[in-house]
Amino acid sequence: MTLPRNTTVLIVGAGPTGLATALSLVHHGFKDFVIMDALDKGDNTSRAIIVHAATLEALDTIGCADELISKGTKTTRMNLGTRTAVLAYPQFEGLKPYTRYPYGLVIPQTFTEHILWDKLSTFGVTVHRPHKVVGMKLNADDTNLADVTLEDGQIITTRYVIAADGAHSVVRTIAGIAFADPKNGRGEDSTVLAQLAQADVTFDTPDLDNFNFRGAMSPNSFFLCVPIPSTFNEYLAKETGKPVEGRIFRVGCGVPLEEGSIPHSPSKEYMQNLIDRFAPPGLSSDPTVNPNRKGVRIKDILWCTRFRTHSAIADTFFTRFSSGDLSKSEGAAVLLVGDAAHIHSPAGGQGMNLGLRDAVFLGEALAKHIKATESLTLPEADRILTDFVAERRARALEVIGLTKNILAIAGVKDEIVAWWLPISKVTVRDWVMWILGKVWFVRRQAAWNISGLGHR
């Protein structure tokens, strides 16, 4: 389809947050928008693996939760601990009085994106690809419009630019919005997830069919293994034309920085080595270590990636792209959403969830703002957006703080508490987690924080 030359709203980026923004706009009765992406097709470098209760509630308000739930797996328990023991688990079932979704929904980001795209296409909306933004300037005839230049030379004129183009957002950079780590001292020195190797794998044994969500802490790493719903096998078979036999597992492992950079595309041998070193013994390939007396080995790697993690947040999620004359309230509105606005450690599975909630609520705020400009002056109408982004930025800071707290716990160093108390800090942490993990209220509170219900 030909790219329009003019639109009211331009959404740059068609990942989950861009798609959810578009769906929210449609839900609120607004369809004068264009959504584009720099890639030829949806991104298959899926990182997120779980959709939390607060996100499902937000998606339900725009009619998108049921499709995800029908394809995902509901998990009510995340087993967290060391390699050899489960020390605690968030009590998601304890959230029943507060939400219709008292669980985490396990579903890969790629699948989530596909479902949202399918939903959007039913409204006759096309994602324009591949179109990469390379520049932006004020429109010569109307200073409240921006001319957005694409890599192929095309120009699209718009009143609003939604930056859903990820952590390395071109739109954010052009708009001159700073992006930095809001350091607060918590978890700052933890490197257990500073770099992460991640893969979707199948194993050579069916004995793991009952394996549950499992996180394992080590002094210099954190390992995660999550069984993926069988509907993902069906999706992959349809997309690739090749059937995938056996249960698929998402495996993620922090790699100590002193071991150097993770290979660009981690091999089967590389991932197996990480599993043998940092996973629970039940996943070990060594029969003498595995309590089942037989080794478990990776059969196939379906997808793998590596990435470094850190925290950062934009100084503002809303600005006007203007001539620089602060005495004038003019310029196209630029709004940041998802990773373009904030990034953080994957601890707690918060990234995509926060971005999706941003997107759903942005659609409503933007529809209100567009309506308000018909009767109010621009500064008056802009209060809708300034209030909205102030609230979303506060939520983002809360979530960044949560992930840093999780890192501070997972990244406790294996050193003695003090000369007069020659006990490892790791041992003390494990004791505390084990004791608190027995308390129902603590388990429910952990689930409350992770679910996003306290950070909507």
Side-chain angles (χ1 to χ4, degrees):
M1 181 178 288
T2 303
L3 185 70
R5 297 191 64 181
N6 299 277
T7 187
T8 300
V9 178
L10 175 63
I11 303 172
V12 181
T17 53
L19 294 169
T21 302
L23 283 162
S24 184
L25 286 172
V26 171
H27 177 78
H28 290 96
F30 188 83
K31 289 189 69 174
D32 184 16
F33 63 83
V34 169
I35 179 170
M36 63 170 60
D37 198 273
L39 300 177
D40 282 315
K41 60 180 297 186
D43 192 358
N44 66 357
T45 57
S46 171
R47 297 180 182 179
I49 191 64
I50 191 166
V51 180
H52 290 303
T55 309
L56 290 172
E57 288 190 353
L59 290 170
D60 185 54
T61 65
I62 60 171
C64 293
D66 289 346
E67 288 91 338
L68 288 177
I69 293 169
S70 69
K71 301 296 185 181
T73 298
K74 300 174 184 178
T75 181
T76 58
R77 176 166 171 161
M78 298 179 181
N79 296 313
L80 306 173
T82 65
R83 296 184 66 197
T84 56
V86 173
L87 301 175
Y89 56 92
Q91 187 72 44
F92 285 98
E93 290 181 338
L95 301 178
K96 286 182 179 179
Y98 313 105
T99 179
R100 291 194 296 130
Y101 310 105
Y103 49 81
L105 186 74
V106 176
I107 184 168
Q109 179 178 324
T110 305
F111 207 2
T112 298
E113 184 175 320
H114 176 79
I115 292 169
L116 294 178
W117 177 83
D118 260 358
K119 181 77 171 180
L120 187 61
S121 65
T122 65
F123 297 107
V125 177
T126 299
V127 176
H128 296 269
R129 302 176 183 273
H131 294 294
K132 182 179 181 181
V133 172
V134 295
M136 189 162 60
K137 65 179 182 179
L138 286 179
N139 181 269
D141 299 321
D142 186 341
T143 55
N144 286 328
L145 301 177
D147 293 332
V148 179
T149 305
L150 308 181
E151 194 172 43
D152 60 7
Q154 292 189 77
I155 295 175
I156 182 167
T157 301
T158 183
R159 191 171 298 275
Y160 300 85
V161 182
I162 310 300
D165 52 342
H168 302 289
S169 172
V170 174
V171 174
R172 185 188 65 229
T173 301
I174 294 173
I177 300 174
F179 195 59
D181 188 344
K183 294 184 180 295
N184 57 17
R186 295 171 296 179
E188 304 291 356
D189 60 346
S190 174
T191 61
V192 295
L193 287 177
Q195 59 175 357
L196 192 71
Q198 198 171 77
D200 287 348
V201 307
T202 58
F203 291 104
D204 63 359
T205 175
D207 296 346
L208 299 176
D209 285 351
N210 295 321
F211 189 90
N212 294 315
F213 196 115
R214 182 73 161 87
M217 298 178 294
S218 301
N220 57 353
S221 180
F222 185 87
F223 176 87
L224 185 70
C225 185
V226 185
I228 294 177
S230 59
T231 50
F232 191 55
N233 295 58
E234 299 166 9
Y235 164 74
L236 290 177
K238 183 178 178 181
E239 288 292 298
T240 65
K242 300 177 181 178
V244 179
E245 297 181 359
R247 191 69 177 269
I248 302 172
F249 292 81
R250 169 65 56 82
V251 172
C253 189
V255 177
L257 292 176
E258 57 269 22
E259 297 185 10
S261 298
I262 300 169
H264 178 69
S265 182
S267 65
K268 183 190 297 188
E269 292 73 23
Y270 186 88
M271 294 303 301
Q272 185 67 63
N273 177 262
L274 292 179
I275 291 173
D276 289 343
R277 293 165 58 201
F278 299 115
L283 293 177
S284 176
S285 64
D286 185 347
T288 64
V289 173
N290 196 308
N292 298 315
R293 301 304 177 190
K294 61 179 181 178
V296 174
R297 300 194 65 85
I298 295 174
K299 179 181 177 183
D300 292 303
I301 289 186
L302 309 178
W303 161 87
C304 60
T305 190
R306 62 171 184 176
F307 56 95
R308 285 181 174 266
T309 66
H310 65 284
S311 299
I313 190 168
D315 280 357
T316 181
F317 295 178
F318 164 56
T319 189
R320 286 200 170 273
F321 187 72
S322 66
S323 60
D325 186 347
L326 299 180
S327 65
K328 297 180 181 179
S329 180
E330 63 178 10
V334 177
L335 292 129
L336 311 184
V337 66
D339 285 355
H342 44 70
I343 58 172
H344 46 74
S345 157
Q350 300 297 308
M352 184 184 71
N353 282 274
L354 180 60
L356 285 173
R357 297 197 295 273
D358 286 347
V360 171
F361 301 142
L362 173 59
E364 180 182 9
L366 194 54
K368 287 180 180 178
H369 184 268
I370 292 168
K371 183 68 175 177
T373 57
E374 297 174 4
S375 57
L376 300 176
T377 65
L378 203 56
E380 290 173 330
D382 278 356
R383 290 174 188 165
I384 295 172
L385 296 180
T386 54
D387 289 347
F388 167 77
V389 299
E391 180 180 350
R392 297 317 302 166
R393 192 172 187 277
R395 292 291 178 271
L397 287 170
E398 290 173 1
V399 170
I400 290 173
L402 172 65
T403 63
K404 289 189 175 186
N405 284 338
I406 294 173
L407 281 181
I409 295 170
V412 169
K413 297 185 182 302
D414 189 13
E415 56 189 23
I416 64 170
V417 175
W419 65 267
W420 48 268
L421 186 62
I423 301 174
S424 169
K425 292 180 179 178
V426 171
T427 301
V428 173
R429 177 204 62 194
D430 294 350
W431 285 349
V432 171
M433 283 188 65
W434 182 78
I435 292 169
L436 293 179
K438 302 294 183 183
V439 181
W440 180 84
F441 171 78
V442 173
R443 295 200 306 269
R444 190 190 66 177
Q445 189 62 39
W448 174 265
N449 290 334
I450 293 173
S451 70
L453 294 172
H455 311 283
R456 300 181 207 221

